[in-house]
């Protein structure tokens, strides 16, 4: 398409995108424009339209974005000689758009900055971009607004990894800018005289400070730019930019260790007094919320940056702490919460013993630690009072949107974390006393007047629950009073829910308390009330019931009849008052199971039968209705009962009793397996129940395990349920080394893997059934670890290796990770004594396929798999290299040599190969990761390069099945 015609087409497409009434036409235009941006023609067309004075705003914005995107991602498309004309064109566009539109000017500035990332100082000429910029600013003062924007974005692009520069070039660019820091600051300083430019100057200065290096703190302390920023903090016009600068200065002067202090102190001594002078404005009613937020941010930044100094407890540092308490007291939670990170970090510096080791002997450490804790007690005491009121339900909580309700919950979680920090400094019992006084004050009002406000009591109770883990189990002053107060509180649903959760949170205290047994009946009564009030209170009560039965199980063994009554009433009573959902009923199942665990074996067996009976009865009734009726039931009708059995088998830790139960229940399980094998949800639930039965019973399973394996082996051939593989993994883990099970397991393994290998014949098969692939290779890994004597000599082992090679590059995360982990386990086989004897068999399978495996792994590392699989792919590759050493290095070298030098340079590939060679020699993994990461980054730097690399390696076109000669 001719240039002018293409330009017109772009304009027409933009007009359609923004103005056509038909959605389909707009979508078509959008798709065309996106494709156009990927073409080589986009360079010239975008440049021409930006220089065209007739282009409208929509065209200018699109073309500036296109040009910026092309420079960022596709710079390598251009021949070397195109750089100068491109730079000059962008320079003239900066001149043209010096007065705006701002969006266009910003995109052009970003394009120039991206260009500077790609092009070295030598290739740029004129001494590099900073010297070039200095000359341009001197020669064209009218363009200074554009150049200031460029100055602002330049250091920001150091951290823009979307720019497809090589890692080495990116490091060079950062060094170039760091060495040019003084040039940049002198240019910015020269612009300070123009008042209309000050805001831009400060914004650019903040960007340069993010580089963190290149200028010393002592120089910054007296620098005109710093002094201007500090003096502009109260300016109506410049305050936002000034706050950004001062925030960066605070981060620059952060103290990480004692050696930093003397170096940073000149700058700290300039910053702190100026920021502290803003303290009166925190509560100034004439200041709006944004002003308060900016000031709060500076104090929070100081707290985070100087926490090590503050932790010493000096008079100066305590002034900052008082200011941070004022920020924490602000009515707006967004402002108050800015300090929460500081309170956590300060707690760490006060508590962690390792941070005091420089003091020498134990006595000095303990004395200094106690001194500091004493100094900060009052501050954390105040903090508890300040934050605890933040969790109170708002008056209009019933009208809150889902998003607002989510924000409120996040607020409560954040406050709970702060209370934990306070408990670590003050002690949980001290925090409890503070919160108890709030509870008493609130409870007195609502107990005397049931219609009175319940929110303050709920808030105090929520906070008491938050510190439960830090209240000593021997606490005997406050907790008995809290527990005696709970039955007297109103039955408002939100309050009752928190009461139930608080009871559960203090279950360990109840177990340790001398009068815990006498308190329990009244608390259980509250929980029963919670189970009958609403679904939310029932959920809280069921969870609390589980905690109590877990921690107080020995106390409750004598109350089993009462517990069974609650269990049956809540879960099975038809038309009862309890409102426990099926999911929450599992807490009750777990609760009873844990109490039964404490019984003697004979009593446990009877109790287990009683626990199973209400679950088994409805299942048996459905089976008695015949196969047709059973097949027509919804999965939910079955799984609600099967899930309860799974929890019983999981939490009743009496192996013989559970083995006896599963043997008696096997006919029911088999009937469901036979009729419902097509139903994934039911099979998953049933396999989970079997898994827990196997895990708990172990070798006591006896003949039942053989019947179970025979069942799933046969059903898998026709129904291909992944959960059959998962259940097999559990069986392998328990019985893999048992010689008496060898025949069963050999038949199982060979049948399952043979069928799966036939099913997963192409990468498309893996993509279609990733769940099968995931569970298959998890099972294979289990076989390597628990029964290599069965799996490695098996005829299915080579076919499973071939299958793994086909599926490595499947995009499904779990499936891909399982395959890679399986291969790692194969390579690491000889790390175990049991596996060493099977090395010849493994090698006979892997070595003929080694070159192909290496090539697929290199392809995966360089783009065939997403970057988030890097660690797993790398581990597998390193395992291959460490086992096969010289051979593996030859395989890898052969694969890397296929990648064109336009994509990966000789230096980059050599560094990568050297890293693998070091790994083969036993080098530490951390020491060799950088070159491996760089090869991955280089090959992924843009889509064009990634396509070139993948076209060269062709991981999906390799002949996967290698014939052993």
């Amino acid at each position: 398409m001719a240039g002018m015609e293409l330009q017109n087409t772009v304009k027409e497409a933009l007009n359609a995108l923004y103005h056509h009434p038909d959605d389909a036409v707009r979508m078509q235009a959008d798709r065309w424009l996106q494709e156009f941006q990927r073409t080589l023609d986009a360079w010239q067309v975008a440049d021409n339209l930006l220089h065209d004075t007739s282009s409208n705003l929509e065209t200018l914005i699109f073309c500036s974005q296109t040009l910026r995107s092309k420079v960022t991602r596709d710079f390598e498309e251009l021949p070397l000689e195109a750089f100068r004309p491109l730079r000059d064109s962008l320079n003239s566009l900066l001149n043209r758009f010096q007065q705006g539109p701002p969006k266009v000017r910003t995109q052009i500035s970003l394009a120039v900055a991206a260009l500077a990332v790609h092009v070295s100082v030598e290739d740029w000429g004129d001494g590099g971009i900073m010297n070039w910029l200095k000359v341009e600013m001197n020669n064209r003062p009218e363009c200074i607004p554009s150049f200031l924007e460029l100055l602002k974005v330049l250091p920001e692009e150091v951290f823009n990894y979307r720019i497809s520069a090589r890692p080495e070039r990116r490091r060079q660019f950062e060094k170039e800018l760091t060495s040019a820091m003084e040039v940049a600051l002198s240019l910015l300083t020269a612009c300070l005289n123009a008042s209309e430019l000050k805001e831009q100057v400060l914004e650019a200065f903040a960007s340069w400070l993010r580089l963190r290096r290149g200028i010393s703190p002592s120089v910054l302390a007296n620098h005109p730019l710093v002094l201007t920023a500090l003096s502009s903090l109260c300016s109506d016009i410049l305050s936002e930019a000034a706050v950004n600068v001062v925030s960066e200065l605070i981060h620059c002067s952060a103290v990480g260790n004692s050696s930093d202090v003397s170096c940073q102190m000149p700058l700290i001594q300039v910053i702190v007094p100026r920021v502290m002078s803003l303290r009166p404005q925190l509560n100034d009613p004439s200041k709006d919320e944004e002003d308060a937020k900016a000031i709060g941010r500076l104090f929070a930044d100081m707290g985070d940056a100087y926490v090590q100094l503050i932790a010493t407890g000096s008079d100066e540092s305590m002034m900052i702490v008082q200011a941070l308490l004022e920020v924490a007291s602000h009515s707006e939670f967004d402002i108050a919460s800015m300090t929460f990170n500081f309170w956590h970090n300060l707690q760490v510096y006060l508590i962690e013993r390792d941070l005091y080791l420089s003091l020498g002997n134990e006595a000095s450490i303990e004395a200094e630690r106690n001194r500091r804790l004493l100094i900060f007690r009052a501050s954390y005491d105040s903090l508890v009072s300040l934050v605890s009121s933040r969790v109170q339900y708002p008056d209009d909580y019933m009208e809150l949107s889902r998003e607002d309700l989510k924000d409120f919950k996040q607020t409560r979680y954040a406050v709970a974390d702060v209370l934990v920090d306070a408990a670590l400094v003050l002690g949980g019992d001290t925090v409890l006393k503070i919160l108890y006084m709030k509870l008493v004050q609130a409870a007195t009002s609502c107990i005397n007047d049931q219609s009175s406000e319940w929110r303050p009591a709920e808030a105090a109770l929520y906070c008491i629950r938050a510190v439960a883990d830090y209240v000593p189990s021997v606490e005997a002053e406050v907790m008995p009073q809290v527990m005696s107060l709970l039955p007297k509180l109103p039955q408002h649903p939100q309050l009752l829910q928190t009461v139930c959760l608080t009871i559960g949170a203090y279950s360990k205290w109840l177990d340790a308390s001398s009068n815990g047994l006498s308190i329990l009946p009244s608390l259980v009564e509250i929980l029963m009330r919670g189970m009958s009030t609403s679904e939310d209170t029932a959920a809280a009560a069921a969870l609390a019931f589980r905690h109590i039965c877990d921690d107080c199980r020995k106390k409750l063994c004598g109350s089993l009849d009462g517990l069974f009554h609650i269990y049956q009433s809540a879960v099975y009573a038809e038309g009862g008052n309890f409102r426990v959902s099926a999911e929450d009923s599992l807490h009750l199942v777990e609760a009873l199971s844990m109490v039964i665990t404490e019984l003697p074996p004979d009593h446990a067996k009877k109790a287990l039968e009683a626990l199973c009976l209400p679950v088994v009865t409805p299942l048996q009734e459905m089976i008695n209705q015949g196969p047709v009726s059973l097949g027509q039931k919804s999965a939910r009708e079955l799984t609600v009962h099967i899930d309860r059995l799974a929890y019983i088998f999981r939490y009743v830790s009496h192996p013989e009793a559970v083995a006896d139960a599963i043997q008696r229940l096997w006919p029911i399980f088999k009937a469901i397996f036979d009729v419902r094998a097509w139903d994934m949800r039911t099979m998953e639930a049933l396999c989970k129940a079997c898994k827990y039965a196997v895990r708990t019973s172990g070798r006591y399973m006896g003949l039942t395990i053989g019947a179970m394996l025979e069942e799933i082996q046969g059903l898998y051939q026709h129904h291909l349920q992944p959960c059959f593989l998962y259940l097999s993994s559990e069986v392998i883990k328990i019985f893999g080394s048992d010689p008496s099970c060898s025949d069963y397991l050999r038949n199982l393994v060979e049948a399952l893997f043979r069928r799966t290998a036939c099913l997963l014949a192409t990468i498309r098969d893996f993509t279609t059934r990733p769940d099968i692939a995931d569970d298959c290779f998890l099972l294979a890994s289990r076989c390597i670890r628990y029964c290599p004597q069965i799996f490695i000599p098996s005829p299915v082992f080579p076919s499973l290796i071939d299958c793994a090679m086909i599926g490595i590059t499947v995009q499904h995360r779990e499936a891909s990770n399982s395959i890679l982990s399986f291969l790692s386990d194969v390579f690491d086989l000889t790390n175990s004594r049991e596996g060493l004897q099977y090395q010849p068999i493994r090698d006979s399978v892997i070595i003929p396929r080694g070159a192909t495996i290496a090539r697929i792994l290199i392809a995966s590392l360089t783009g065939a798999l997403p970057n988030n699989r890097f660690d797993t792919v790398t581990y597998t590759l390193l395992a291959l290299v460490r086992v096969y050493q010289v051979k593996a290095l030859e395989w890898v070298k052969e694969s890397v040599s296929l990648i064109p030098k336009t994509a990966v340079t000789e230096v980059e590939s050599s560094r990568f190969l050297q890293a693998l060679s070091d790994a083969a020699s036993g080098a530490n993994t951390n020491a060799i990761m950088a070159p491996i990461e760089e090869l991955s980054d280089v090959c992924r730097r843009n889509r064009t390069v990634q396509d070139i690399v993948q076209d060269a390696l062709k991981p999906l076109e390799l002949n996967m099945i290698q014939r052993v000669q």
Side-chain angles (χ1 to χ4, degrees), residues 30-246:
D30 187 41
R31 283 195 297 270
W32 186 89
L33 288 166
Q34 287 184 41
E35 286 301 317
F36 162 76
Q37 285 182 312
R38 298 188 181 103
T39 65
L40 199 57
D41 290 326
W43 288 100
Q44 192 63 59
V45 170
D47 185 67
N48 290 345
L49 289 173
L50 284 167
H51 285 281
D52 186 346
T53 55
S54 67
S55 295
N56 61 19
L57 180 59
E58 292 160 355
T59 302
L60 293 175
I61 290 174
F62 172 78
C63 289
S64 61
Q65 290 173 340
T66 298
L67 208 51
R68 188 261 305 160
S69 176
K70 296 298 283 184
V71 176
T72 299
R73 304 295 298 171
D74 302 324
F75 179 68
E76 291 180 63
E77 289 180 346
L78 298 176
L80 292 175
E81 61 272 14
F83 159 66
R84 292 272 177 179
L86 175 59
R87 187 189 75 177
D88 293 343
S89 177
L90 291 171
N91 191 10
S92 68
L93 290 171
L94 282 177
N95 182 26
R96 184 186 168 199
F97 296 113
Q98 58 178 294
Q99 300 301 324
K103 287 183 178 179
V104 176
R105 187 177 69 189
T106 298
Q107 294 299 313
I108 300 301
S109 298
L110 288 168
V112 177
L115 193 63
V117 177
H118 284 293
V119 179
S120 67
V121 169
E122 296 76 19
D123 291 337
W124 187 281
D126 305 318
I129 188 170
M130 288 307 300
N131 284 323
W132 172 83
L133 189 53
K134 180 178 180 180
V135 171
E136 291 293 326
M137 289 178 75
N138 288 331
N139 292 341
R140 291 194 289 158
E142 73 281 1
C143 295
I144 282 179
S146 287
F147 291 132
L148 281 175
E149 178 135 26
L150 177 56
L151 261 177
K152 175 180 181 292
V153 300
L154 262 176
E156 294 171 355
E157 295 306 273
V158 168
F159 311 105
N160 181 4
Y161 289 90
R162 289 190 300 271
I163 298 175
S164 61
R166 297 172 186 274
E168 181 59 36
R169 172 58 204 148
R170 192 183 301 282
R171 287 192 293 270
Q172 288 174 357
F173 179 66
E174 184 175 1
K175 289 177 183 176
E176 289 164 12
L177 289 197
T178 301
S179 64
M181 176 74 82
E182 290 188 21
V183 176
L185 299 196
S186 67
L187 290 175
L188 293 173
T189 304
C191 297
L192 280 176
N193 294 327
S195 58
E196 70 276 9
L197 297 176
K198 275 188 178 179
E199 186 174 12
Q200 265 193 290
V201 168
L202 291 176
E203 287 173 350
F205 181 37
S207 289
W208 279 87
L209 287 171
R210 291 186 191 108
L211 290 178
R212 298 282 188 273
R213 294 191 299 276
I215 190 164
S216 71
S218 58
V219 171
L220 280 175
N222 297 299
H223 201 284
L225 288 167
V226 173
L227 301 178
T228 300
L230 291 170
S231 63
S232 301
L233 285 171
C234 296
S235 164
D236 291 338
I237 298 172
L238 301 176
S239 60
E240 183 178 349
V243 165
N244 289 336
V245 169
V246 176

Side-chain angles (χ1 to χ4, degrees), residues 527-528 531 538-547 549 563-572 578-596 611 644 647-648 651:
L527 298 183
M528 292 176 67
M531 289 182 201
L543 180 62
F545 191 75
R546 190 204 76 186
H547 283 307
C549 288
L563 296 180
F564 264 111
H565 174 70
I566 296 171
Y567 165 71
Q568 291 167 345
S569 299
V571 182
Y572 305 110
F578 283 12
R579 306 182 66 176
V580 181
S581 70
E583 288 74 18
D584 293 321
S585 73
L586 295 175
H587 291 315
L588 302 177
V589 176
E590 183 180 345
L592 268 293
S593 299
M594 290 186 291
V595 175
I596 290 171
L611 192 62
R644 289 167 183 161
Y647 267 60
I648 292 170
Y651 292 106

